[in-house]
Structures are given as structure tokens and as C-alpha cells.
Amino acid sequence: MKILVCISNVPDTTSKINFTEGDTKFDTNGIQFVINPNDEFGLTRAMWFKEKQGAAVHVVTVGGAQTEPTIRKALAIGADEAIRVNAEPTDGFFVAKQLAEVVKNGGYDLVIAGRESIDYNGGMVPGMLATLLDMNFVNTCIGLEIDGNNATAMREIDGGKEKIGTTLPLVIGGQKGLVQESDLRIPNMRGIMMARQKALNVVEPVDAPQPTQDQKFEKPAPKGAVKLVDADNVGELVSLLHNEAKVI
Amino acid sequence: MSVLVYTESLKGKFKKNAFEVASYAHKVAQDLGTSVTAVTFNTNDDASLGNYGVSKVLKIADNKLDTFNAKAYADALAQAAQTEGAKVIILSSSADSKFLAPILTTKLNAGYVPNVVSAPDSTSPFVVKRTAFSNKGFAHTEISADIKVIGLSNNAFGVVENGGSASVESFTPSLSDGDFAVKSMEVDRVVGKATIADADIVVSGGRGLKGPENWGMIEELADVLGAATACSKPVSDLGWRPHGEHVGQTGKPVASNLYIAIGISGAIQHLAGVSASKTKVVINNDPEAPFFKAADYGIVGDAFEVVPKLIEKLKEFKAQNA
Ligand SMILES: Cc1cc2nc3c(=O)[nH]c(=O)nc-3n(C[C@H](O)[C@H](O)[C@H](O)COP(=O)(O)OP(=O)(O)OC[C@H]3O[C@@H](n4cnc5c(N)ncnc54)[C@H](O)[C@@H]3O)c2cc1C
Ligand SMILES: Nc1ncnc2c1ncn2[C@@H]1O[C@H](COP(=O)(O)O)[C@@H](O)[C@H]1O
């Protein structure tokens, strides 16, 4: 089985967000970039398939040269090879088109992507990729087993979960649950050394349209001060929620 | 040319978000000088959508579609959009809508923007405001493709009744076996309880509650309020609560009208996922807990004393206002 894990390079979850150039660009100044958390769960599940079922695991990112430390980290965790499509990922459909090209050329059976990137929260690349390639697709995937050509997946739904049966080739949009938090791996010295020997192939993008454009960003309005209610006067909270906030 | 909406339902009954997307679509249709067409799947009371601004219902009745199937539903919606010549399609932010929207968008060569929080800034060019960076910011995004697909955030626009009426036509999409290559084998859904996605009120507990045995009062508080229960990430990682209750940047987003955080410190990753809620209440015994900076109302106190009192006061309030 040949697996491709799609990795988006995102600001660390503790990042404070700022914008520059008249609020038209995200300010990367002082930002630490990491593997998108949803992709880290997927990558770890892919390592399981590698170790238990002999799968080959490649990783791919669409991004500029500045994303290489993130993709190297995926190699240090244990992926066999990496591909970087040399383009700025400004639109989800554009990214899906690039990834579709990589999947076609590489003949992958399983593509593991994340439910969403935690920066732009698009939640669209995996579904678009699956549709472009006419591959089966399961989103918000919290469990995945592969047996020959058959796949059994768990999907998170609103208020519960759903068991799904399908076949390869398959694309998933994964998240926590694919593996547990405690299964995530921190690259060790040996992994980091080995990653230096592994191939990181840079390919140029194909032409693709960009149906959406972010024109301007803004930050939420600053919050007013909290209204404190005395712990001995809980009834006041009830009346504030009823009369002032009008939420009960 | 009309504005098309996907109206979600469960066991034949519309969900609240169906009325919200219809209300939003009505506003967009007014801006564009057109009307709203809804697509329904195996629902009973289709004409009731008229009250929320829908003029026409394309009613699909097909047993194969009793259980949600993203590809088949997307295919049906794409065919409805083509029949209607729809240029704008509105969906919700439910797990199902987010599953099918990218499929639908790609089938129609459209442009998709999720997490939209208000009526379009303008319709020519077509620009919408959405959350980005896990609620730490907003983006104004132009959709330049001919067909626009919009995912509306929960509780962002509200439900608007206008006393209108809708005509109902049956619609039979042509579906192939390929549409059902991803099969639902078993659905395990909590019934009779509000879910984080749909609930108006969410009651959430953190590590300050010390252990799973103390969740009785959280559930009781949620019961009194008709709320859904949620938790911080460490609480689900420790196995005190199911993963489906984990909210925050890496868990489920919360956009309820009221969010009550009990024994939760207010780490940036937690706040990012819940800050879209309209009113936030924090109960924490540490006055320095960061959540107090993000909340509207707060009580500094021991949850084990405050929560039982709050339950009691809410019961009194409910008795008086019944
Ligand atoms: C990559 C990454 C992603 C993350 N994503 C998320 C996410 O999506 N969601 C999330 O929630 N977290 C997330 N986190 C974790 C986050 O950083 C915090 O560790 C977490 O939110 C803390 O949970 P907590 O507030 O329940 O626990 P704590 O930080 O331990 O806080 C417990 C609080 O309870 C209070 N308390 C104690 N006793 C009482 C009492 N008797 N009465 C009242 N209050 C009491 C304390 O004062 C304290 O403020 C993420 C972290 C990382 C690194
Ligand atoms: N630039 C990118 N390069 C590679 N994979 C990506 C990229 N952007 C998004 N993805 C994948 O698609 C998933 C969903 O991303 P998004 O649609 O951007 O929210 C991510 O979790 C990744 O697995």
C-alpha cells in the first residue's frame, strides 16, 4: 500500500495573530510554524500502517521553501519521502489541483489529509481532491482500518459517530481519534539524522484557477471587561443572563 | 436563477440550521433580486419552509437517501442547482454540510467559502465575511467563480420568520452506484440530547473538576438549561469524557448563544474554538485565570459550591417563568 499524507504548514496553536500590508496579509513575523495538528494525527496513523502493514509513506506540502523545516519534521517522524509543490497555497481549490497531480503521478492507494487547516480553516482540500480524482472520501475521520482493498472508517457526526465501509483508493479528512494524543511522536536524534538522507523532491505547480481570494483581514473587536458576580449571590447571574444577555 | 439551499433534516424533521440557512438565503436572494429554492431529503413538512423565505421546494423522496451520504447528496444538489440555474448555494456548518460542500463545489466548478458570519459585504463583486485563524481573526473573501457556495456559521445570522409560503415540487435526481461507494454501516447518535453543533447553550467542564465522577453536576446543569455538554482537551485526553465533547482549536468549534466554562483556565487554544459564542460565562476559583479576560460574566469561586447553587437558582427561575 502506498500512502500520501498531505501536510499543511500552519502557525503554532499558541500564536497571536496579526496582519500587515494594510490588513491584506497574515503577519508571519515571530510566528513558529508546525505540522497542522489534524495532519499530525494522520501522519502518526500512516506510521502505524507502515510498521504493521508494510505501507510506504510519502508526505506532500504545497508551499514555498520556508515550509521545508515542517516537511523535514514529517520525515524525521518516519515518512519515507517528501514532495514539495513550489507554490503559495492561497486558495483551497488551487491546492487540491496541485495535490491531484502528485497523487496521479505517484499512484497512491490512500491519501490522508486533515479535516481542516487550523489557520484558514478551509476544510475543503481533501473533499475537492477526492472529487477531482474520483476517489472515495470520508471526512472528520476518527478511525481507519485497511484490509486488502477494503477500508473501515469511523466518522465523527454531530452528536455521535458513524461506521463507514468503503474501498481503496480513498481520501480521508482526519482528526484526533485516528490515533490518541499520547501516540503522537516527537522526532528523536536518529530520526532527525535519517531525515537528512531522505529525498525531498521539489516540483513546480500546474496551472490552476483560484476561485476565491482573501481581500482583507480584521481582528475581532476588543472585548469589554468581564462582569463579576459574587459567589454568594448566584441568583444575580441568572437574572443577568435573563434580563441583560437575554440568553435564557 | 435562484438561490439554492440545502435544508438538513433528521428522521423527516428539519433541523434548526435548515431555517437559519433559509433565512440567510432569503436575504441574499433579495440582494440579488431573485428567490429561494430549497432542496429537501425525505422530509414531511416541506411547505413550512415558506415561513423562512423559501419560495419553492424541490422535494426528494428516496429511501436510498434516508441516511446521509455525502457524495449522493452532493450529486443531487448539483443536479438541482443545474435545473434551477442557481448561482449561489447556501449550506450550514454541520459535519454533514462540511463533508459535502467541497464535493458539490468541485462538481459545479464553483468557489466555496465556509464559516461565513454575515450577509455578503457586496454581491458584485461577491464578497463575504468569514472567521479564519480559528476565530482569532476574520477574512473578507471574494468568490470570483460563477457559482458561489457558502457555508454559514451556526447562530451567525439567526432564524427570520416572514410568513411567506412555498410551492412544493418533487425532484428525482439521477444517482449511480458510484454515488454509494462510501457506505454507512452503523450510526451511533445520542438521541434526545442537545448536540454541541445544534445547541443554543453549551455547558463545558475542564480539569478543575478533578475527575469524571464529578460530571453529575455538569450534566444536571446542562439538563436544566437544555444545553449540550462539552469539555476541554485534557479532559478528553484523560478519558474523563468522550472525544466528541472536546472543544477548541483542535476539537469541535462552539458558536452557541451561551457558553458556560467551569474549571477551565482559558488557554489560547481553548478560547480560539469557543470565542464565536455570543455570551460567555466562566466559573473558576482562580481570579487570575485567563478565561476571565475573554468572558462576559464570571464568578470567582469553587465550582463544587457554585454549580449546585446555580442549578438551584435556575430551577427556581424556570418554575417562575414556566
Ligand atoms: C497543539 C495543541 C492544541 C490544543 N488544542 C486544544 C483545544 O482544542 N481545546 C482545549 O481545550 N485545549 C487545547 N489545548 C490545551 C490547552 O493548551 C490547555 O492545556 C487546556 O485547554 C487546559 O485545559 P483546562 O483548562 O481544563 O485545564 P487547566 O489548565 O489545568 O485548568 C484548570 C482550571 O480549573 C480551575 N479550577 C481548579 N479547581 C477548581 C475548582 N474547585 N473550582 C473552579 N475552578 C477550579 C483552575 O484555576 C484552572 O484555571 C491544546 C494544546 C496544544 C499544545
Ligand atoms: N498547502 C497544503 N499542502 C498540502 N496539504 C494541504 C495544504 N493545505 C491543505 N492541505 C491538506 O488539506 C487538509 C485540509 O485543509 P484546508 O482545506 O486548507 O482546511 C489539511 O489538513 C491538509 O492535510
Side-chain angles (χ1 to χ4, degrees), chain A residues 5-9 36-39 60-63 87-92 95-96 99 112-128 172-174:
Chain A
V5 182
C6 304
I7 300 227
S8 73
N9 176 59
N36 183 38
N38 291 314
D39 303 343
V60 61
T61 195
V62 179
E88 285 308 316
T90 47
D91 169 80
V95 170
L99 294 174
I112 300 182
R115 169 191 78 184
E116 68 171 9
S117 303
I118 61 159
D119 53 357
Y120 293 89
N121 310 110
M124 61 179 88
V125 167
M128 289 178 166
I172 66 156

Side-chain angles (χ1 to χ4, degrees), chain A residues 11-17 19 26 37-38 41 93 115-129 131-132 134-140 152 155-167 170 175-177 180-181 210-221 223-235 237-238 240-242 244-245 247-248, chain B residues 15 67-68 71 94-96 98-99 102-103 105-107 109-115 127 129-145 181-190 195 197-198 201 225 233 236-237 243-244 246 249-253 257-258 260 268-269 279-282 292-301 306 309-310 313-314 317 321:
Chain A
D12 168 55
T13 55
T14 58
S15 305
K16 298 234 157 57
I17 301 300
F19 303 108
F26 171 61
N38 291 314
F41 289 107
F93 185 74
R115 169 191 78 184
E116 68 171 9
S117 303
I118 61 159
D119 53 357
Y120 293 89
N121 310 110
M124 61 179 88
V125 167
M128 289 178 166
L129 174 63
T131 310
L132 287 170
D134 201 19
M135 285 167 77
N136 292 326
F137 172 50
V138 178
N139 203 23
T140 54
T152 309
R155 165 171 97 95
E156 189 168 272
I157 57 176
D158 292 335
K161 50 195 177 185
E162 180 181 29
K163 186 175 170 188
I164 284 182
T166 188
T167 52
L170 171 69
Q175 61 184 58
K176 187 176 92 169
Q180 298 308 311
E181 180 78 18
Q210 309 217 6
T212 69
Q213 298 87 30
D214 289 327
Q215 294 193 324
K216 215 171 166 56
F217 296 101
E218 68 185 77
K219 290 212 269 186
K223 184 121 198 76
V226 61
K227 238 185 216 179
L228 287 180
V229 172
D230 199 278
D232 295 322
N233 193 9
V234 174
L237 178 63
V238 175
L240 283 169
L241 292 177
H242 179 62
E244 192 177 83
V247 287
I248 60 170
Chain B
K15 293 193 192 171
T67 306
F68 174 81
K71 197 170 182 200
S94 69
D96 289 353
K98 287 197 165 179
F99 191 174
I103 304 174
T105 302
T106 308
K107 279 179 190 290
N109 253 318
Y112 168 46
V113 177
N115 306 319
V127 180
K129 181 177 176 182
R130 66 173 172 113
T131 60
F133 299 96
S134 307
N135 292 313
K136 293 176 193 171
F138 295 102
H140 295 268
T141 306
E142 179 178 350
I143 312 179
S144 50
V182 173
K183 286 187 199 64
S184 174
M185 323 269 281
E186 202 180 310
V187 175
D188 176 7
R189 187 185 274 117
V190 181
T195 66
D198 297 340
I201 303 178
L225 288 166
K233 178 167 178 285
S236 71
D237 288 341
H243 282 301
H246 158 200
Q249 187 168 13
T250 57
K252 281 206 173 76
N257 284 327
L258 174 61
I260 305 181
I268 189 165
Q269 299 97 345
T279 300
K280 291 174 278 290
V281 173
V282 55
F292 284 106
K293 291 208 175 62
D296 302 283
Y297 302 101
I299 295 182
V300 179
V306 174
K309 279 195 218 158
L310 182 58
K313 292 289 176 196
L314 282 166
F317 166 80
N321 290 269

Side-chain angles (χ1 to χ4, degrees), chain B residues 75-92:
Chain B
D75 223 2
L77 287 166
Q79 289 171 32
Q82 276 154 351
T83 307
E84 285 289 299
K87 295 288 185 234
V88 181
I89 305 170
I90 319 264
L91 305 90
S92 80

Side-chain angles (χ1 to χ4, degrees), chain A residues 66-87:
Chain A
Q66 77 282 2
T67 63
E68 288 197 2
T70 300
I71 200 99
R72 284 268 175 226
K73 185 176 170 203
L75 290 172
I77 287 172
D80 303 308
E81 263 183 47
I83 301 150
R84 177 170 72 80
V85 180
N86 187 29

Side-chain angles (χ1 to χ4, degrees), chain B residues 162-224:
Chain B
N162 72 356
S165 63
S167 65
V168 180
E169 279 174 26
S170 69
F171 181 72
T172 311
S174 82
L175 301 174
S176 66
D177 286 350
D179 283 320
F180 297 92
V182 173
K183 286 187 199 64
S184 174
M185 323 269 281
E186 202 180 310
V187 175
D188 176 7
R189 187 185 274 117
V190 181
V191 285
K193 234 190 105 187
T195 66
I196 294 169
D198 297 340
D200 287 329
I201 303 178
V202 174
V203 175
S204 191
R207 201 150 51 181
L209 290 169
K210 313 278 189 286
E213 66 281 5
N214 296 325
W215 245 263
M217 64 180 189
I218 300 294
E219 298 201 320
E220 193 181 350
L221 178 58
D223 262 359
V224 178

